Amino acid sequence: MLDIELIRQDTEYVQDALAVRGTEFNIEKIINLDKQRRDLLKETEGLKAKRNTTSKNIGRMENDEDRSSLVADMRKVGEKISQLDQQVRGTESKLNALMLELPNIPDADTPQGTNDSDNVTIKVFGKENDFNFTPKPHWELGSDLGIIDFERGVKLSGSRFYVLNNAGARLQRALISFMLDLHTRQGYSECYLPFMVKEVNFTTAGQLPKFSDNIYHDVEDDAWFVTTAEVPLTNLHRDEILENDTLPLYYTAYTPCFRREKVTAGKEVRGIKRGHQFDKVEMYALTHPEESYKVLEKMLADAEETCIKLGLRYRVRRLCSGDLGFGSRITYDIEVWAPGCNEWLEVSSVSNCGDFQSRRANTRFRPKKGAKSKYLHTLNGSGLGVPRTLIAVLENNQRQDGTITIPEVLRPWMSGEDSIG
RNA sequence: GGAGGGAUGGCCGAGUGGACUAAGGCGGUUGUCUUGAAAACAACUGUGGGGGAAACCUCACCGGGGGUUCGAAUCCCUCUCCCUCCGCCA
């Protein structure tokens, strides 16, 4: 959510700043509703003040005649008030609905562009693996080794679901444990979250109202399946005022992620790259406004370290304005190289949302004892998406005979074994 | 799923239609006293919105929403959550 005061006072700036996202937004309508709201408030509150003092006087009055005449007057005032209140409510809900549809203002450092081809690669780390054979894609490796079962996944749940067996299942669990332990050492506190949350959590995090098509939910119980741990984490401190010295707060959490993505079958969804259910370890931070850019760099470095420790070749890209997420001001993507699929796979998105989510969530901090509370900044970053990391681990560590070398850092969770197959 | 009991400020807790401008206590902040601290005493001590250059004025908020009334923490309806008991259950 943007600051209505900013929109009011610097309308042109907001209009221009949002335009770089490539969509038009009706700021003027918001300005008008805001004006209308304040005018109505002035009127209705004046009447309420009058009624309050008069009602107090009525309680003290002895003279029945004066009394009943005032009561009659106030009855009329009351009718006018409830009429105006209704108008206020109507105006506010219209205004709020429009405000919720405005995305965040991209940071000055976010490059302008229209789609992912305009994203800017700022770093490539690691050398290309020197295979003296043609590396296989993971769907071949996985099927041959009996660790990924696509057919039975489809039997159970339909297309884009799979079953992991034996070393495949263990390797995924190893990755999750490795990531959580690493992030804990990096200063994040681990938490286990509900995988179903109420609708309001999605609005707060900025996934609703815009992305309702992508979320699985049960209407009867107001239970919405998380699309990312970012959603519950954004709401962990909803409606709270945090003490100054508790910031920054760092969290890490593993959750499955459920997404009703409507991507047509084909190269984009081959293998385990894009399922309706996938695991992810998330990093999240709540910070002072003036610290969020420093924390953004820390979180990027922390996500990179995950790739480095796993021995994966990766690149870092800065997303352009047209590819930027709804709530983000600035985002780095990390992509790892998968030699079997022959492509870069996005395994992490690290974003600074500024106060966009904290306004929606009403999460504030108090800069000093007795001072006015302020909205804090929130950041999120994957650390990392598990299936794609698994793909990269399998494809990069394959040997000519189809077996896999298990990366050293994962062996503690693989009973010390050094290979699969 | 059934029956009953609850929800009041940072915390405890009083409050059944008009002085609630929410008692009292605890906690917190500041001050007096003190070499310093403790104790004692005193004052202050919620959130958000609107107006205003500011001082300040004003509105709303006693779990959420709606209603009755000139006037609601208080009465009515409804929802949520918590507790106790019964049933069911991995």
Side-chain angles (χ1 to χ4, degrees):
Chain A
M1 186 103 80
L2 300 181
D3 185 358
I4 185 70
E5 217 159 308
L6 177 70
I7 296 177
R8 201 186 289 154
Q9 282 164 8
D10 222 337
T11 314
E12 212 163 304
Y13 161 74
V14 173
Q15 194 103 50
D16 293 349
L18 290 181
V20 302
R21 282 182 176 270
T23 327
E24 286 290 318
F25 298 96
N26 196 346
I27 305 284
E28 204 178 313
K29 202 164 179 186
I30 288 178
I31 296 281
N32 290 338
L33 283 169
D34 175 54
K35 177 85 172 80
Q36 192 183 329
R37 170 179 170 273
R38 284 183 300 152
D39 288 347
L40 284 167
L41 275 182
K42 240 185 279 184
E43 194 180 352
T44 186
E45 285 180 2
L47 290 175
K48 280 180 185 174
K50 183 178 170 193
R51 182 178 65 179
N52 284 348
T53 49
T54 309
S55 290
K56 245 167 227 160
N57 288 335
I58 289 172
R60 287 193 278 258
M61 286 176 80
E62 313 262 316
N63 184 327
D64 277 354
E65 233 169 84
D66 294 353
R67 190 187 158 102
S68 55
S69 125
L70 275 182
V71 166
D73 285 355
M74 285 309 107
R75 187 176 297 140
K76 280 198 200 99
V77 171
E79 276 161 20
K80 182 70 183 165
I81 287 173
S82 56
Q83 214 176 69
L84 285 167
D85 272 349
Q86 212 169 339
Q87 287 180 49
V88 170
R89 257 176 275 161
T91 305
E92 276 181 347
S93 75
K94 270 187 235 160
L95 177 62
N96 195 246
L98 288 179
M99 288 294 286
L100 286 175
E101 281 174 22
L102 287 186
N104 205 352
I105 294 173
D107 187 87
D109 282 343
T110 290
Q112 294 207 15
T114 53
N115 56 46
D116 60 351
S117 65
D118 294 322
N119 295 344
V120 180
T121 301
I122 57 171
K123 182 188 208 173
V124 181
F125 183 93
K127 284 196 194 100
E128 204 155 348
N129 223 333
D130 232 353
F131 290 105
N132 50 12
F133 58 96
T134 309
K136 291 181 187 164
H138 67 282
W139 52 87
E140 282 179 28
L141 292 167
S143 298
D144 292 349
L145 288 164
I147 60 174
I148 307 177
D149 186 339
F150 293 101
E151 288 76 15
R152 292 200 176 88
V154 171
K155 175 165 74 180
L156 295 182
S157 304
S159 79
R160 311 262 291 280
F161 286 91
Y162 52 87
V163 173
L164 297 179
N165 294 117
N166 301 311
R170 287 179 82 193
L171 196 60
Q172 167 154 297
R173 185 156 53 84
L175 279 169
I176 294 165
S177 297
F178 157 70
M179 290 175 190
L180 285 171
D181 285 357
L182 175 61
H183 297 323
T184 300
R185 282 201 301 280
Q186 288 165 337
Y188 300 78
S189 38
E190 179 179 346
C191 47
Y192 170 84
L193 302 160
F195 300 158
M196 295 188 291
V197 296
K198 293 193 245 180
E199 179 179 5
V200 60
N201 294 274
F202 282 84
T203 306
T204 299
Q207 318 262 329
L208 285 177
K210 201 178 165 193
F211 303 106
S212 55
D213 285 357
N214 287 324
I215 311 168
Y216 292 104
H217 69 279
D218 179 275
V219 192
E220 236 173 281
D221 287 328
D222 190 17
W224 296 60
F225 288 56
V226 301
T227 50
T228 159
E230 178 195 343
V231 172
L233 286 170
T234 302
N235 287 273
L236 212 50
H237 295 287
R238 166 156 44 87
D239 294 321
E240 290 182 26
I241 300 175
L242 302 171
E243 285 311 316
N244 187 61
D245 55 10
T246 59
L247 298 179
L249 281 173
Y250 291 107
Y251 291 107
T252 185
Y254 151 77
T255 66
C257 304
F258 304 96
R259 297 185 186 178
R260 181 192 275 129
E261 302 195 70
K262 290 170 181 149
V263 179
T264 44
K267 183 171 182 284
E268 267 304 295
V269 299
R270 189 91 197 256
I272 63 171
K273 184 175 143 189
R274 193 186 285 272
H276 289 305
Q277 169 189 322
F278 67 97
D279 284 2
K280 183 157 63 68
V281 172
E282 184 78 0
M283 303 178 287
Y284 198 89
L286 301 95
T287 77
H288 289 109
E290 61 279 5
E291 275 181 356
S292 63
Y293 282 90
K294 204 175 72 195
V295 172
L296 178 71
E297 297 305 317
K298 170 191 160 50
M299 289 175 72
L300 173 64
D302 292 340
E304 284 182 62
E305 193 181 350
T306 317
C307 299
I308 294 169
K309 283 208 150 59
L310 288 167
L312 299 175
R313 179 168 183 251
Y314 69 89
R315 66 180 188 184
V316 179
R317 310 192 85 198
R318 187 167 265 181
L319 293 196
C320 74
S321 53
D323 204 24
L324 197 65
F326 184 78
S328 178
R329 284 173 57 70
I330 184 164
T331 297
Y332 294 111
D333 268 9
I334 298 179
E335 301 176 342
V336 296
W337 178 248
C341 314
N342 201 36
E343 62 175 328
W344 292 98
L345 298 175
E346 181 197 327
V347 290
S348 181
S349 248
V350 185
S351 301
N352 186 355
C353 293
D355 62 10
F356 187 81
Q357 289 179 326
S358 68
R359 279 181 190 281
R360 290 174 168 240
N362 191 29
T363 311
R364 294 162 294 167
F365 74 102
R366 206 178 291 289
K368 262 188 204 156
K369 262 234 139 80
K372 201 170 147 63
S373 60
K374 288 175 69 178
Y375 292 109
L376 44 76
H377 281 194
T378 63
L379 302 98
N380 63 83
S382 349
L384 310 164
V386 173
R388 292 178 185 175
T389 307
L390 186 64
I391 291 173
V393 166
L394 293 175
E395 293 187 2
N396 280 293
N397 294 288
Q398 60 181 298
R399 304 173 185 132
Q400 189 152 19
D401 64 358
T403 62
I404 312 281
T405 308
I406 297 171
E408 202 121 5
V409 291
L410 297 180
R411 290 179 196 170
W413 292 279
M414 301 293 287
S415 309
E417 285 165 29
D418 57 11
S419 74
I420 300 173

